[in-house]
Amino acid sequence: MSFSYRRIIIKIGSNVLTRPDGLPDTDRIAHLVDQIATIKKQGIEVILVSSGAVASGRSLISVSERSDAVAIRQLLASIGQVKLINTYSALFEKYDMLCSQVLVTKEDFRDRLHYLNMRNCLEILLQHQVIPVINENDVVSVTELMFTDNDELAGLLASMLNAQALIVLTNVNGIYTGDPKLPGSSVITEITNGGLDFASFVSSGKSQFGRGGMITKSTIAHKVAQLGIAVHIANGTSLNVLLDVLENKIEHTRFVPAKIASGKKKWIAHSENSAKGVVQVNEGAKTALTSNKASSLLPVGVTDIVADFKKGEIIKIIDENKKVIGLGLAEYGSEKAREYAGQKNQRALVHYDYLYLQS
């Protein structure tokens, strides 16, 4: 069975685009572009999230390894990004296709206005048959403000653009039951909405050139699938990997999507870092919220307003052990929430349409 998607995000990791010596693998980039052009001709919209700026920079300039690591990364990323986008541009041009460069930081997702502004930009590119090539802006991103890696960025974009699928290309065949290098480890071909503890069997080692390990990929993939988007993790070094994933002809890991969530819910799901307020709830409220029945957060279950917030801001909902159980959009500010806390028959603090529960 093949997968029929209308819009997909393809994320290519640095380990796929980089040769063992740290320089860009131009043949592989060309082969991936050939496949993307074929996919595009089938009428599928493609958004490309591509690492590789630092490797491209390394091919242009030699730097002393004694220099400050962050500064060197900024230097290589800054000159390398130009080379990378020019490489993509020239390769897509052979197919009479246009690509564009979009550099983003975590700050661009911080509030609804920035979020919608960026979404509008990407939508207009897609309307005009342009392939957006997106990367984190490593030149201005400081460590604390960086995405975990481009997997996180790709997950955010898949949610933002209501894609049907996210394809993550890495340098192994998918998620394994143990260390891929050990005999007896096999690829998990399908992961459904189960609470798999990835840390128990996924190797926590980082890839050679990338920032994110398999645990990051698994966690983000699970979150994206929970929002109704299929996630495929496959080996980007395999020939025709993209076409074979869409035809389901290659061994890889697929996260089966749950019911599609609303656009607002998708935004809320990825907003934990920008949540202003914190509300603590009792065990009864926690049980109601986490049951299969759709429930709003009512003031009667609120025991404490831990951090203030305004109406319309995203708040974290924590249980009695201070564990985050969900995120939601506040229907009113913390002053009113304090006044209503513990009272019955008061208006919901978070309506269930604007509530995202962490599974």
Side-chain angles (χ1 to χ4, degrees):
M1 125 184 136
S2 59
F3 302 107
S4 54
Y5 300 129
R6 296 184 308 281
R7 176 179 286 183
I8 59 175
I9 312 278
I10 296 169
K11 184 265 171 175
I12 310 177
S14 43
N15 250 31
V16 175
L17 299 174
T18 309
R19 300 187 324 207
D21 61 4
L23 297 177
D25 190 331
T26 45
D27 290 344
R28 184 160 298 132
I29 297 170
H31 179 55
L32 289 163
V33 167
D34 293 345
Q35 293 173 73
I36 292 167
T38 304
I39 291 167
K40 190 101 174 54
K41 282 176 183 157
Q42 293 169 3
I44 300 169
E45 292 178 321
V46 177
I47 298 98
L48 180 58
V49 177
S50 176
S51 306
V54 172
S56 296
R58 214 176 266 125
S59 71
L60 297 168
I61 192 170
S62 53
V63 288
S64 154
E65 293 305 319
R66 290 197 304 276
S67 310
D68 172 57
V70 174
I72 291 299
R73 186 182 171 82
Q74 288 174 313
L75 166 73
L76 294 175
S78 186
I79 54 171
Q81 190 61 43
V82 179
K83 170 93 183 276
L84 182 66
I85 203 69
N86 281 337
T87 303
Y88 277 123
S89 182
L91 290 167
F92 279 119
E93 213 169 89
K94 290 180 187 169
Y95 295 97
D96 291 324
M97 290 180 183
L98 275 176
C99 70
S100 77
Q101 172 170 269
V102 182
L103 295 176
V104 302
T105 68
K106 210 162 193 171
E107 288 288 283
D108 296 319
F109 290 87
R110 73 176 184 257
D111 59 48
R112 192 86 181 138
L113 192 66
H114 274 78
Y115 182 88
L116 294 174
N117 193 26
M118 184 158 54
R119 190 178 76 186
N120 293 342
C121 164
L122 292 165
E123 288 286 2
I124 195 85
L125 289 169
L126 293 169
Q127 276 171 35
H128 288 82
Q129 302 304 315
V130 176
I131 298 157
V133 180
I134 306 175
N135 197 1
E136 177 165 19
N137 192 344
D138 286 329
V139 176
V140 297
S141 289
V142 195
T143 315
E144 311 82 79
L145 298 176
M146 286 169 107
F147 296 101
T148 315
D149 62 3
N150 270 350
D151 297 314
E152 186 186 4
L153 170 58
L156 282 162
L157 291 164
S159 303
M160 171 193 271
L161 294 167
N162 294 322
Q164 281 84 49
L166 162 63
I167 300 173
V168 177
L169 297 185
T170 180
N171 62 343
V172 288
N173 292 350
I175 292 173
Y176 285 75
T177 51
D179 186 335
K181 296 186 188 75
L182 296 176
S185 292
S186 58
V187 172
I188 304 168
T189 54
E190 203 167 85
I191 295 173
T192 45
N193 181 16
L196 270 180
D197 177 16
F198 299 111
S200 65
F201 58 85
V202 173
S203 150
S204 59
K206 297 278 194 290
S207 53
Q208 191 186 350
F209 297 109
R211 279 215 306 274
M214 241 341 148
I215 290 178
T216 311
K217 283 182 178 50
S218 308
T219 309
I220 288 162
H222 179 63
K223 186 176 200 173
V224 171
Q226 288 296 92
L227 297 170
I229 300 160
V231 184
H232 301 264
I233 297 180
N235 194 331
T237 66
S238 304
L239 280 178
N240 292 318
V241 58
L242 290 169
L243 303 174
D244 286 351
V245 161
L246 292 175
E247 290 292 327
N248 204 15
K249 289 203 297 210
I250 191 171
E251 183 181 63
H252 71 288
T253 300
R254 173 175 174 255
F255 284 74
V256 179
K259 192 165 113 334
I260 293 173
S262 69
K264 265 254 170 84
K265 224 171 219 189
K266 287 177 177 170
W267 169 59
I268 292 165
H270 289 287
S271 299
E272 188 168 345
N273 292 333
S274 56
K276 300 274 196 300
V278 181
V279 171
Q280 193 166 30
V281 298
N282 61 24
E283 210 50 42
K286 180 182 176 179
T287 307
L289 292 173
T290 53
S291 70
N292 289 329
K293 195 168 148 283
S295 300
S296 300
L297 173 59
L298 301 170
V300 67
V302 173
T303 55
D304 190 16
I305 309 297
V306 182
D308 288 348
F309 50 91
K310 297 189 186 83
K311 178 185 174 176
E313 286 186 338
I314 296 210
I315 56 175
K316 273 185 210 178
I317 301 158
I318 61 171
D319 64 14
E320 289 171 339
N321 301 316
K322 298 192 166 62
K323 183 176 181 286
V324 178
I325 54 173
L327 301 161
L329 205 63
E331 295 285 319
Y332 41 84
S334 48
E335 212 168 294
K336 200 171 272 186
R338 269 198 190 87
E339 187 189 320
Y340 291 168
Q343 293 181 21
K344 287 182 177 172
N345 307 322
Q346 295 290 6
R347 183 156 80 85
L349 174 55
V350 177
H351 188 275
Y352 67 78
D353 280 345
Y354 301 134
L355 180 67
Y356 170 76
L357 294 166
Q358 303 204 335
S359 53

